[in-house]
Each structure stands twice: as structure tokens, then as C-alpha cells.
């Protein structure tokens, strides 16, 4: 069986997971960069201490420390509440704190008020150099989350440009030195270069996480396939063990009867019926095993056609009435003539298994097989006065190899009949209900809704897939 291949187009689940991991990567870098920000605040303060207005410088320092405090607070919340959570929580976190990065960039952009055309050229050069380094550093720190990086770079560049434009046009009336325009041009070029570099770096991050997601899916798929194979081996071992256990008794009995008949031929009339019964038991087991093998392999063939209920139940009566009367049981059939759309062979197998169970687990009284009309379609009912089934076991009896442990005298059952019935009714789309009272009897009601061939085939395939993939 081929493992599930990752989709070529990202699914919504993949997109959400990747987005969450990108936020996780972004926040990992923030744990180290927040300390670097404090160092740069100190450097700006030292460089501009003698050049800038002390009042404006202290105001900016307070603003920068406030922005740093907000980042520390967000980081604290992330570590305590979000870091170990899933993608949804990470996406919600970045949505909540989405203004943190542009606010920080605005703080740094306002430094141009302190030094642009107000301090010595040497100090301006140092400040511009620190701003360029800060912008370049933000590419590595923020590129994991493209929207945050764009918000930071755009706010930083626009703030600088606005301050410079206000200085050049508002205060200097465009009478300043020519190099101001070169600085603006360099800033615009640098801004676009950083955006493109950050975008390429972000695409690398995203592709890495997409590959990681698909690798994880592939590993999970291979793990499921491996587990399914192990489960199939376990089912097969359990299948063989149970079949070997069930077949041992009638085969052992056949051997004993044959030896007995060889030593005492005059007992042929007494032993022959027992040999016949043991042979029937072996045949019944093989029939069940073959049915189960066809179901589990998906090779069951469907032949949907109109079925005459009267003829169907007549054929079953011919087969099972002698068995019931041999046990001293009454066997009655009540049929309202009509037709249904189903697979005649599989439908006969379903009803036959139900009648066989009724005969097997009824010691006195009788069995009634009835075909009636109902609002949802024709219905076949099998009533018996047998041992009954306690409510605690009524779901379990449809499992393979399951035998009700409290039923005395039912050790010759193989635990396959009702399992096969459940599988076939699900494939044909015929709902089966059960009502039972321990010690009083049981009734199975099979509603024969018209079977659609295409849907039945799909259900047959799904039944095999579910069997293979179940834990």
C-alpha cells in the first residue's frame, strides 16, 4: 500500500500550522534581541548627549524604555501562556500584539528628530550607521513573520522620511545642503533592498516549515501504515488461532467417530448422524471463513437486482426447517408477498445467518421468520424463544470471533456469523436492529431499503479501508 503523498497545494491545516511555526520562530529571536535594543538605546544616548536637546533626548529615552517594557511584557506573556501551545494560540498571540513592532520602529524612527541636521556630521554618521544596522538586524529578527517585518521596516522608513521632510521643507524651506537629498535617496533605496531581502529570507523560512509539515505528515502516514500492517498481522494471528480452536472440536469428533465406527461397525446407524453433524460444523466454519476472507480482501461481488421475498424465504425455509424440527422446535414463516432491490445471494446469506443463530441458540419453543411492510421499506424479522442476549453484550456480538460468555450450550459457535451479517448489511444499506430479553428470546429486524449499486460498492471499499486503518 502506497503511503499518503503530501498535497502539492497547501491545505488550510498546513497553512495554519506553518503560520504558527513562523510566529514561534519570530518569538524565539525576540528573546535575545530585546536586550540588544537596550544596548542601542544606551549608545544613542551617549552619542547624542552633547549634541541633542537634553529635554528631547530624555523624552525619547523614556519613550524607548516604554516600548522596550511593552516588548518585555509581551515576551513574558508568550513564555508563560503561549510558547508550548499550538498554532492557533500563536496566531492569536501575534494578532493581539501586531502593533508592537511598528510601535518599536516608530520609536527608533523618531531618533532622526534628535540628530538629522542638528548634530555634527560625525555624530550623524554614527547615528545613521546604527539605524542601518538596526534595520538590517531586523531582517534576521523579523523575517520569519512577513507582516511584522514589513510593518517594522515601513514604519521605520516612513517615520525617518517624514521627520527629514519636515526638517528640509518646513524648517529649512528647502534651503539646506544638497547631501540631504542624497540621504533621502539612499534611504529609499536601502528601504526597498531590505524589503526584498527580507521577503526572500521569509520565503526560505516558509518553505522550510512547509517541508517540515509534509515530512511530518509522511512520517505519520508511514507510522499509520506500519501500525496497520502490524494490526493486520495481529488480526490474522487471532483469526488463525480462533479458527484452529473452533475447527479442532468437530475434526477431533470426526476422528473419534471414525475410530469408533471402525471398531464397532454395528453402531453405524447411531454414529452416522453424529459424523454428519460434525461434517456440517466443519463446512459451516469454512463457509464463514471464506465469507470473511472475501469481505476483508474487498473481492466481494455485488449483483443488485429485484428480489422476490416469498421465494427467498421459501428457499431458506427448505434449508433450515429440518434443523429446527430436529431439535423439536416449531418453525413458522409468514410472508407478505413483495419485492425488494438488493443482492439476492448476500441478502440470503444475511437472513440465513440470522436464522441459523436462532436455531442454534433456541432449545425450546420455536422460530418465526416474517416479511412485512413498513414506512421505510420491506422488513424481514427473525423471532426466537432462545436464551436471549443481555444488553451489555448486544453491541459486542457483532464483533468478529465474539461469543457471549454467559450462554451455556453455545460453545460450538464460531463468533463469525453476526460479524458477517453486520458487514453485509452495512454494505447493502439495510439497517439491522436488535431487541432481546435474556431467557425470553430475541428478534432481529432487517429493513431492506433499496440498494444503490454505486453506493454499495463505495461502502464495500470503505469497509475494507476501515478494517485496514483501524487502531
Amino acid at each position: 500500500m502506497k503511503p499518503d503523498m503530501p498535497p502539492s497545494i497547501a491545505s488550510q491545516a498546513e497553512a495554519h500550522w506553518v503560520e504558527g511555526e513562523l510566529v514561534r520562530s519570530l518569538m524565539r529571536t525576540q528573546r535575545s534581541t530585546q536586550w540588544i535594543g537596550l544596548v542601542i538605546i544606551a549608545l544613542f544616548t551617549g552619542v547624542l548627549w552633547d549634541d541633542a536637546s537634553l529635554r528631547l533626548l530624555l523624552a525619547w529615552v523614556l519613550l524607548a524604555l516604554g516600548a522596550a517594557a511593552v516588548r518585555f511584557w509581551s515576551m513574558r506573556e508568550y513564555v508563560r501562556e503561549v510558547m508550548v501551545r499550538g498554532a492557533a494560540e500563536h496566531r492569536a498571540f501575534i494578532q493581539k500584539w501586531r502593533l508592537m513592532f511598528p510601535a518599536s520602529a516608530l520609536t527608533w524612527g523618531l531618533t532622526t528628530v534628535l540628530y538629522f541636521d542638528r548634530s555634527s556630521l560625525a555624530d550623524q554618521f554614527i547615528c545613521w550607521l546604527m539605524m542601518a544596522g538596526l534595520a538590517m538586524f531586523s531582517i534576521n529578527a523579523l523575517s520569519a513573520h512577513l507582516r511584522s517585518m514589513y510593518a517594522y521596516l515601513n514604519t521605520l522608513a516612513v517615520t525617518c522620511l517624514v521627520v527629514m521632510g519636515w526638517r528640509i521643507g518646513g524648517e529649512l524651506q528647502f534651503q539646506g545642503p544638497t547631501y540631504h537629498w542624497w540621504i533621502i535617496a539612499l534611504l529609499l533605496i536601502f528601504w526597498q533592498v531590505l524589503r526584498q531581502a527580507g521577503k526572500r529570507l521569509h520565503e526560505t523560512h516558509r518553505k522550510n516549515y512547509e517541508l517540515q509539515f509534509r515530512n511530518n505528515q509522511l512520517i505519520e502516514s508511514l507510522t499509520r501504515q506500519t501500525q496497520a500492517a502490524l494490526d493486520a498481522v495481529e488480526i490474522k494471528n487471532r483469526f488463525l488461532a480462533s479458527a484452529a480452536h473452533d475447527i479442532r472440536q468437530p475434526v477431533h469428533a470426526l476422528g473419534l467417530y471414525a475410530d469408533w465406527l471402525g471398531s464397532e461397525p454395528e453402531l453405524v446407524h447411531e454414529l452416522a448422524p453424529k459424523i454428519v453433524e460434525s461434517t456440517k460444523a466443519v463446512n459451516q466454519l469454512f463457509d464463514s471463513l471464506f465469507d470473511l476472507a472475501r469481505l476483508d480482501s474487498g473481492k466481494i461481488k455485488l449483483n443488485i437486482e429485484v428480489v422476490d421475498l416469498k421465494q427467498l424465504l421459501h428457499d431458506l425455509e427448505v434449508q433450515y426447517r429440518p434443523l429446527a424440527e430436529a431439535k423439536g422446535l416449531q418453525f413458522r414463516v409468514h410472508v407478505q408477498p413483495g419485492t425488494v432491490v438488493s443482492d439476492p445471494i448476500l441478502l440470503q446469506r444475511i437472513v440465513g445467518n440470522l436464522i441459523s443463530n436462532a436455531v442454534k441458540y433456541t432449545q425450546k419453543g420455536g422460530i418465526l421468520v416474517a416479511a412485512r411492510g413498513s414506512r421505510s421499506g420491506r422488513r424481514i424479522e427473525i423471532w426466537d424463544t432462545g436464551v436471549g442476549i443481555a444488553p451489555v453484550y448486544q453491541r459486542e456480538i457483532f464483533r468478529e470471533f465474539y461469543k457471549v460468555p454467559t450462554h451455556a450450550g453455545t460453545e460450538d459457535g464460531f463468533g463469525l456469523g453476526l460479524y458477517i451479517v453486520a458487514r453485509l448489511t452495512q454494505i447493502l444499506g439495510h439497517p439491522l436492529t436488535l431487541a432481546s430479553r435474556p431467557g425470553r428470546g430475541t428478534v432481529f429486524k432487517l429493513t431492506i431499503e433499496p440498494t444503490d449499486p454505486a453506493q454499495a460498492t463505495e461502502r464495500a471499499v470503505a469497509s475494507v479501508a476501515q478494517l485496514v486503518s483501524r487502531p
Side-chain angles (χ1 to χ4, degrees), residues 417-468:
L418 290 181
Y419 172 69
I420 293 172
V421 165
R423 293 280 298 279
L424 291 178
T425 55
Q426 191 274 331
I427 290 172
L428 294 176
H430 300 336
L432 178 67
T433 60
L434 159 67
S436 183
R437 293 178 63 185
R440 300 293 297 274
T442 302
V443 56
F444 286 92
K445 296 182 179 181
L446 180 68
T447 302
I448 310 177
E449 299 177 355
T451 300
D452 180 85
Q455 294 179 1
T457 302
E458 292 177 0
R459 287 193 292 264
V461 174
S463 177
V464 176
Q466 183 179 10
L467 178 73
V468 173

Short mmCIF file of all heavy atoms in Angstrom, two decimals, residues 417-468:
data_model
loop_
_atom_site.label_atom_id
_atom_site.label_comp_id
_atom_site.label_asym_id
_atom_site.label_seq_id
_atom_site.Cartn_x
_atom_site.Cartn_y
_atom_site.Cartn_z
N GLY A 417 -20.74 -15.35 12.49
CA GLY A 417 -21.99 -15.15 11.77
C GLY A 417 -22.52 -13.74 11.86
O GLY A 417 -22.81 -13.11 10.83
N LEU A 418 -22.65 -13.20 13.06
CA LEU A 418 -23.21 -11.85 13.21
C LEU A 418 -22.24 -10.78 12.74
O LEU A 418 -22.66 -9.71 12.31
CB LEU A 418 -23.63 -11.62 14.66
CG LEU A 418 -24.85 -12.43 15.13
CD1 LEU A 418 -25.18 -12.11 16.58
CD2 LEU A 418 -26.05 -12.16 14.24
N TYR A 419 -20.95 -11.05 12.85
CA TYR A 419 -19.97 -10.10 12.32
C TYR A 419 -20.14 -9.97 10.81
O TYR A 419 -20.13 -8.86 10.25
CB TYR A 419 -18.56 -10.57 12.66
CG TYR A 419 -17.47 -9.77 12.00
CD1 TYR A 419 -17.23 -8.44 12.37
CD2 TYR A 419 -16.68 -10.32 11.00
CE1 TYR A 419 -16.24 -7.69 11.77
CE2 TYR A 419 -15.68 -9.58 10.40
CZ TYR A 419 -15.46 -8.27 10.78
OH TYR A 419 -14.47 -7.55 10.18
N ILE A 420 -20.30 -11.10 10.12
CA ILE A 420 -20.50 -11.08 8.68
C ILE A 420 -21.82 -10.40 8.35
O ILE A 420 -21.93 -9.60 7.40
CB ILE A 420 -20.46 -12.51 8.11
CG1 ILE A 420 -19.04 -13.08 8.25
CG2 ILE A 420 -20.92 -12.54 6.66
CD1 ILE A 420 -18.92 -14.54 7.91
N VAL A 421 -22.87 -10.66 9.14
CA VAL A 421 -24.16 -10.01 8.95
C VAL A 421 -24.01 -8.49 9.04
O VAL A 421 -24.53 -7.74 8.21
CB VAL A 421 -25.18 -10.53 9.99
CG1 VAL A 421 -26.40 -9.61 10.04
CG2 VAL A 421 -25.60 -11.94 9.65
N ALA A 422 -23.31 -8.02 10.06
CA ALA A 422 -23.13 -6.58 10.25
C ALA A 422 -22.40 -5.96 9.07
O ALA A 422 -22.78 -4.87 8.59
CB ALA A 422 -22.37 -6.31 11.55
N ARG A 423 -21.36 -6.62 8.58
CA ARG A 423 -20.61 -6.08 7.45
C ARG A 423 -21.47 -6.04 6.19
O ARG A 423 -21.47 -5.05 5.44
CB ARG A 423 -19.37 -6.94 7.19
CG ARG A 423 -18.30 -6.90 8.28
CD ARG A 423 -17.41 -5.67 8.18
NE ARG A 423 -16.67 -5.62 6.94
CZ ARG A 423 -15.54 -6.28 6.69
NH1 ARG A 423 -15.02 -7.06 7.63
NH2 ARG A 423 -14.92 -6.16 5.54
N LEU A 424 -22.22 -7.11 5.94
CA LEU A 424 -23.03 -7.17 4.72
C LEU A 424 -24.19 -6.18 4.76
O LEU A 424 -24.50 -5.55 3.74
CB LEU A 424 -23.55 -8.59 4.51
CG LEU A 424 -22.50 -9.65 4.16
CD1 LEU A 424 -23.15 -11.02 4.04
CD2 LEU A 424 -21.77 -9.30 2.87
N THR A 425 -24.85 -6.04 5.90
CA THR A 425 -25.96 -5.08 5.98
C THR A 425 -25.46 -3.66 5.80
O THR A 425 -26.15 -2.82 5.20
CB THR A 425 -26.68 -5.21 7.33
OG1 THR A 425 -25.73 -5.06 8.41
CG2 THR A 425 -27.37 -6.55 7.46
N GLN A 426 -24.26 -3.37 6.30
CA GLN A 426 -23.70 -2.02 6.10
C GLN A 426 -23.40 -1.77 4.63
O GLN A 426 -23.65 -0.68 4.10
CB GLN A 426 -22.43 -1.88 6.95
CG GLN A 426 -21.89 -0.46 7.06
CD GLN A 426 -20.98 -0.07 5.91
OE1 GLN A 426 -20.32 -0.94 5.34
NE2 GLN A 426 -20.94 1.20 5.58
N ILE A 427 -22.88 -2.78 3.94
CA ILE A 427 -22.56 -2.62 2.52
C ILE A 427 -23.82 -2.44 1.69
O ILE A 427 -23.90 -1.56 0.82
CB ILE A 427 -21.74 -3.84 2.03
CG1 ILE A 427 -20.33 -3.82 2.65
CG2 ILE A 427 -21.65 -3.84 0.51
CD1 ILE A 427 -19.54 -5.07 2.38
N LEU A 428 -24.84 -3.26 1.96
CA LEU A 428 -26.07 -3.20 1.18
C LEU A 428 -26.97 -2.04 1.57
O LEU A 428 -27.90 -1.71 0.85
CB LEU A 428 -26.84 -4.52 1.33
CG LEU A 428 -26.17 -5.76 0.74
CD1 LEU A 428 -27.00 -7.00 1.04
CD2 LEU A 428 -25.97 -5.60 -0.76
N GLY A 429 -26.70 -1.42 2.73
CA GLY A 429 -27.54 -0.31 3.17
C GLY A 429 -28.86 -0.77 3.74
O GLY A 429 -29.88 -0.09 3.58
N HIS A 430 -28.86 -1.92 4.43
CA HIS A 430 -30.06 -2.47 5.04
C HIS A 430 -29.92 -2.36 6.56
O HIS A 430 -29.21 -3.18 7.18
CB HIS A 430 -30.27 -3.93 4.65
CG HIS A 430 -30.42 -4.16 3.18
ND1 HIS A 430 -30.86 -3.18 2.32
CD2 HIS A 430 -30.20 -5.27 2.41
CE1 HIS A 430 -30.91 -3.67 1.09
NE2 HIS A 430 -30.50 -4.93 1.11
N PRO A 431 -30.55 -1.40 7.21
CA PRO A 431 -30.41 -1.25 8.66
C PRO A 431 -30.89 -2.50 9.41
O PRO A 431 -31.93 -3.08 9.08
CB PRO A 431 -31.29 -0.04 8.98
CG PRO A 431 -31.42 0.70 7.68
CD PRO A 431 -31.39 -0.35 6.62
N LEU A 432 -30.13 -2.88 10.42
CA LEU A 432 -30.46 -4.05 11.24
C LEU A 432 -30.61 -3.61 12.69
O LEU A 432 -29.73 -2.94 13.23
CB LEU A 432 -29.35 -5.11 11.14
CG LEU A 432 -29.54 -6.37 11.97
CD1 LEU A 432 -30.74 -7.18 11.45
CD2 LEU A 432 -28.27 -7.22 11.96
N THR A 433 -31.73 -3.98 13.31
CA THR A 433 -31.96 -3.66 14.71
C THR A 433 -32.15 -4.94 15.50
O THR A 433 -32.50 -5.99 14.94
CB THR A 433 -33.18 -2.75 14.88
OG1 THR A 433 -34.34 -3.42 14.35
CG2 THR A 433 -32.99 -1.43 14.16
N LEU A 434 -31.93 -4.83 16.80
CA LEU A 434 -31.97 -6.00 17.69
C LEU A 434 -32.73 -5.64 18.95
O LEU A 434 -32.55 -4.55 19.52
CB LEU A 434 -30.53 -6.42 18.04
CG LEU A 434 -30.33 -7.28 19.30
CD1 LEU A 434 -30.94 -8.65 19.11
CD2 LEU A 434 -28.84 -7.38 19.62
N ALA A 435 -33.61 -6.55 19.38
CA ALA A 435 -34.26 -6.44 20.67
C ALA A 435 -34.23 -7.81 21.31
O ALA A 435 -34.50 -8.83 20.64
CB ALA A 435 -35.70 -5.94 20.52
N SER A 436 -33.90 -7.87 22.59
CA SER A 436 -33.74 -9.18 23.23
C SER A 436 -33.97 -9.07 24.72
O SER A 436 -33.67 -8.03 25.35
CB SER A 436 -32.34 -9.73 22.95
OG SER A 436 -32.20 -11.03 23.49
N ARG A 437 -34.49 -10.17 25.29
CA ARG A 437 -34.65 -10.28 26.74
C ARG A 437 -34.04 -11.59 27.16
O ARG A 437 -34.45 -12.67 26.67
CB ARG A 437 -36.13 -10.23 27.13
CG ARG A 437 -36.78 -8.88 26.86
CD ARG A 437 -38.25 -8.90 27.22
NE ARG A 437 -38.44 -9.15 28.64
CZ ARG A 437 -39.63 -9.31 29.23
NH1 ARG A 437 -40.74 -9.26 28.48
NH2 ARG A 437 -39.71 -9.53 30.52
N PRO A 438 -33.04 -11.58 28.03
CA PRO A 438 -32.38 -12.82 28.46
C PRO A 438 -33.41 -13.82 28.98
O PRO A 438 -34.28 -13.51 29.80
CB PRO A 438 -31.43 -12.36 29.56
CG PRO A 438 -31.14 -10.93 29.22
CD PRO A 438 -32.41 -10.40 28.65
N GLY A 439 -33.32 -15.04 28.46
CA GLY A 439 -34.22 -16.10 28.88
C GLY A 439 -35.56 -16.10 28.18
O GLY A 439 -36.34 -17.05 28.33
N ARG A 440 -35.87 -15.06 27.41
CA ARG A 440 -37.18 -14.96 26.76
C ARG A 440 -37.08 -15.03 25.23
O ARG A 440 -38.03 -15.46 24.58
CB ARG A 440 -37.85 -13.63 27.15
CG ARG A 440 -38.09 -13.47 28.64
CD ARG A 440 -39.14 -14.46 29.14
NE ARG A 440 -40.42 -14.22 28.49
CZ ARG A 440 -41.30 -13.33 28.96
NH1 ARG A 440 -41.03 -12.60 30.04
NH2 ARG A 440 -42.46 -13.16 28.33
N GLY A 441 -35.96 -14.60 24.67
CA GLY A 441 -35.82 -14.67 23.23
C GLY A 441 -35.28 -13.39 22.62
O GLY A 441 -35.01 -12.40 23.31
N THR A 442 -35.15 -13.40 21.29
CA THR A 442 -34.52 -12.30 20.55
C THR A 442 -35.27 -12.09 19.24
O THR A 442 -35.80 -13.03 18.66
CB THR A 442 -33.04 -12.64 20.25
OG1 THR A 442 -32.36 -12.89 21.47
CG2 THR A 442 -32.36 -11.51 19.50
N VAL A 443 -35.29 -10.84 18.79
CA VAL A 443 -35.82 -10.53 17.47
C VAL A 443 -34.82 -9.63 16.74
O VAL A 443 -34.35 -8.64 17.29
CB VAL A 443 -37.22 -9.86 17.55
CG1 VAL A 443 -37.18 -8.60 18.41
CG2 VAL A 443 -37.72 -9.50 16.15
N PHE A 444 -34.48 -10.02 15.52
CA PHE A 444 -33.69 -9.20 14.62
C PHE A 444 -34.62 -8.67 13.54
O PHE A 444 -35.40 -9.43 12.95
CB PHE A 444 -32.57 -10.00 13.96
CG PHE A 444 -31.44 -10.33 14.88
CD1 PHE A 444 -31.42 -11.52 15.59
CD2 PHE A 444 -30.37 -9.45 15.03
CE1 PHE A 444 -30.37 -11.83 16.43
CE2 PHE A 444 -29.31 -9.76 15.87
CZ PHE A 444 -29.31 -10.94 16.58
N LYS A 445 -34.55 -7.35 13.26
CA LYS A 445 -35.38 -6.74 12.25
C LYS A 445 -34.48 -6.11 11.19
O LYS A 445 -33.70 -5.20 11.48
CB LYS A 445 -36.31 -5.69 12.86
CG LYS A 445 -37.30 -6.28 13.85
CD LYS A 445 -38.24 -5.21 14.42
CE LYS A 445 -39.23 -5.83 15.40
NZ LYS A 445 -40.16 -4.81 15.96
N LEU A 446 -34.60 -6.61 9.96
CA LEU A 446 -33.78 -6.14 8.85
C LEU A 446 -34.66 -5.34 7.90
O LEU A 446 -35.55 -5.89 7.24
CB LEU A 446 -33.17 -7.34 8.12
CG LEU A 446 -32.28 -7.03 6.91
CD1 LEU A 446 -30.99 -6.35 7.37
CD2 LEU A 446 -31.98 -8.30 6.13
N THR A 447 -34.43 -4.03 7.85
CA THR A 447 -35.18 -3.16 6.94
C THR A 447 -34.45 -3.12 5.60
O THR A 447 -33.29 -2.70 5.52
CB THR A 447 -35.30 -1.74 7.51
OG1 THR A 447 -35.95 -1.81 8.79
CG2 THR A 447 -36.11 -0.86 6.58
N ILE A 448 -35.14 -3.55 4.54
CA ILE A 448 -34.48 -3.68 3.24
C ILE A 448 -34.78 -2.45 2.41
O ILE A 448 -35.70 -2.43 1.57
CB ILE A 448 -34.93 -4.97 2.53
CG1 ILE A 448 -34.81 -6.16 3.48
CG2 ILE A 448 -34.09 -5.21 1.27
CD1 ILE A 448 -35.30 -7.46 2.90
N GLU A 449 -34.01 -1.42 2.65
CA GLU A 449 -34.12 -0.22 1.82
C GLU A 449 -33.47 -0.50 0.47
O GLU A 449 -32.49 -1.26 0.39
CB GLU A 449 -33.43 0.96 2.51
CG GLU A 449 -34.05 1.32 3.85
CD GLU A 449 -33.31 2.44 4.55
OE1 GLU A 449 -32.25 2.88 4.02
OE2 GLU A 449 -33.77 2.88 5.62
N PRO A 450 -33.98 0.08 -0.63
CA PRO A 450 -33.41 -0.20 -1.96
C PRO A 450 -31.91 0.08 -1.99
O PRO A 450 -31.45 1.12 -1.54
CB PRO A 450 -34.19 0.75 -2.88
CG PRO A 450 -35.48 1.01 -2.16
CD PRO A 450 -35.14 0.99 -0.70
N THR A 451 -31.16 -0.86 -2.54
CA THR A 451 -29.70 -0.75 -2.60
C THR A 451 -29.28 -0.07 -3.89
O THR A 451 -29.67 -0.49 -4.98
CB THR A 451 -29.06 -2.14 -2.51
OG1 THR A 451 -29.43 -2.75 -1.28
CG2 THR A 451 -27.54 -2.03 -2.59
N ASP A 452 -28.49 0.99 -3.76
CA ASP A 452 -27.90 1.65 -4.92
C ASP A 452 -26.56 0.99 -5.24
O ASP A 452 -25.68 0.94 -4.37
CB ASP A 452 -27.70 3.14 -4.64
CG ASP A 452 -27.09 3.86 -5.84
OD1 ASP A 452 -27.84 4.26 -6.73
OD2 ASP A 452 -25.84 3.97 -5.87
N PRO A 453 -26.36 0.43 -6.43
CA PRO A 453 -25.13 -0.32 -6.72
C PRO A 453 -23.85 0.50 -6.51
O PRO A 453 -22.88 0.00 -5.94
CB PRO A 453 -25.30 -0.73 -8.19
CG PRO A 453 -26.77 -0.69 -8.43
CD PRO A 453 -27.30 0.40 -7.56
N ALA A 454 -23.84 1.75 -6.98
CA ALA A 454 -22.62 2.56 -6.85
C ALA A 454 -22.31 2.84 -5.39
O ALA A 454 -21.15 2.72 -4.95
CB ALA A 454 -22.80 3.87 -7.63
N GLN A 455 -23.33 3.21 -4.63
CA GLN A 455 -23.10 3.48 -3.21
C GLN A 455 -22.70 2.22 -2.46
O GLN A 455 -21.86 2.28 -1.55
CB GLN A 455 -24.36 4.09 -2.60
CG GLN A 455 -24.72 5.46 -3.14
CD GLN A 455 -25.98 6.02 -2.52
OE1 GLN A 455 -26.60 5.39 -1.67
NE2 GLN A 455 -26.39 7.22 -2.96
N ALA A 456 -23.28 1.09 -2.82
CA ALA A 456 -22.91 -0.17 -2.17
C ALA A 456 -21.45 -0.51 -2.43
O ALA A 456 -20.73 -0.97 -1.54
CB ALA A 456 -23.82 -1.30 -2.65
N THR A 457 -21.01 -0.27 -3.66
CA THR A 457 -19.59 -0.53 -3.99
C THR A 457 -18.68 0.38 -3.18
O THR A 457 -17.65 -0.06 -2.66
CB THR A 457 -19.36 -0.31 -5.49
OG1 THR A 457 -20.22 -1.18 -6.24
CG2 THR A 457 -17.90 -0.59 -5.86
N GLU A 458 -19.06 1.66 -3.06
CA GLU A 458 -18.26 2.59 -2.26
C GLU A 458 -18.21 2.14 -0.80
O GLU A 458 -17.16 2.22 -0.16
CB GLU A 458 -18.84 4.00 -2.36
CG GLU A 458 -18.68 4.62 -3.74
CD GLU A 458 -19.34 5.99 -3.82
OE1 GLU A 458 -19.91 6.43 -2.78
OE2 GLU A 458 -19.29 6.62 -4.89
N ARG A 459 -19.34 1.69 -0.27
CA ARG A 459 -19.35 1.23 1.12
C ARG A 459 -18.50 -0.01 1.30
O ARG A 459 -17.87 -0.20 2.34
CB ARG A 459 -20.79 0.99 1.57
CG ARG A 459 -21.60 2.25 1.79
CD ARG A 459 -22.89 1.94 2.52
NE ARG A 459 -23.80 1.15 1.72
CZ ARG A 459 -24.78 1.65 0.99
NH1 ARG A 459 -24.98 2.97 0.96
NH2 ARG A 459 -25.58 0.87 0.28
N ALA A 460 -18.47 -0.88 0.29
CA ALA A 460 -17.64 -2.08 0.38
C ALA A 460 -16.17 -1.71 0.43
O ALA A 460 -15.39 -2.25 1.23
CB ALA A 460 -17.91 -3.00 -0.81
N VAL A 461 -15.76 -0.75 -0.42
CA VAL A 461 -14.37 -0.29 -0.42
C VAL A 461 -14.03 0.38 0.90
O VAL A 461 -12.97 0.15 1.49
CB VAL A 461 -14.12 0.67 -1.60
CG1 VAL A 461 -12.73 1.27 -1.51
CG2 VAL A 461 -14.31 -0.06 -2.92
N ALA A 462 -14.95 1.23 1.39
CA ALA A 462 -14.72 1.92 2.66
C ALA A 462 -14.64 0.93 3.81
O ALA A 462 -13.88 1.13 4.76
CB ALA A 462 -15.84 2.94 2.91
N SER A 463 -15.40 -0.14 3.73
CA SER A 463 -15.38 -1.15 4.80
C SER A 463 -14.02 -1.81 4.89
O SER A 463 -13.48 -2.01 5.98
CB SER A 463 -16.46 -2.21 4.54
OG SER A 463 -16.42 -3.23 5.50
N VAL A 464 -13.43 -2.11 3.74
CA VAL A 464 -12.08 -2.71 3.74
C VAL A 464 -11.05 -1.70 4.23
O VAL A 464 -10.16 -2.03 5.02
CB VAL A 464 -11.72 -3.20 2.32
CG1 VAL A 464 -10.30 -3.74 2.30
CG2 VAL A 464 -12.70 -4.29 1.88
N ALA A 465 -11.16 -0.44 3.76
CA ALA A 465 -10.22 0.60 4.20
C ALA A 465 -10.29 0.81 5.71
O ALA A 465 -9.27 0.97 6.37
CB ALA A 465 -10.49 1.91 3.46
N GLN A 466 -11.49 0.81 6.24
CA GLN A 466 -11.65 0.99 7.68
C GLN A 466 -11.05 -0.18 8.44
O GLN A 466 -10.44 -0.01 9.49
CB GLN A 466 -13.13 1.14 8.03
CG GLN A 466 -13.40 1.40 9.51
CD GLN A 466 -14.88 1.55 9.78
OE1 GLN A 466 -15.70 1.28 8.93
NE2 GLN A 466 -15.21 1.95 10.98
N LEU A 467 -11.20 -1.38 7.90
CA LEU A 467 -10.63 -2.55 8.56
C LEU A 467 -9.12 -2.46 8.62
O LEU A 467 -8.49 -2.79 9.63
CB LEU A 467 -11.07 -3.82 7.82
CG LEU A 467 -10.53 -5.14 8.36
CD1 LEU A 467 -11.22 -5.49 9.67
CD2 LEU A 467 -10.71 -6.26 7.35
N VAL A 468 -8.51 -1.98 7.51
CA VAL A 468 -7.05 -1.90 7.45
C VAL A 468 -6.51 -0.79 8.34
O VAL A 468 -5.50 -0.93 9.00
CB VAL A 468 -6.59 -1.66 5.99
CG1 VAL A 468 -5.10 -1.40 5.94
CG2 VAL A 468 -6.97 -2.88 5.14
#
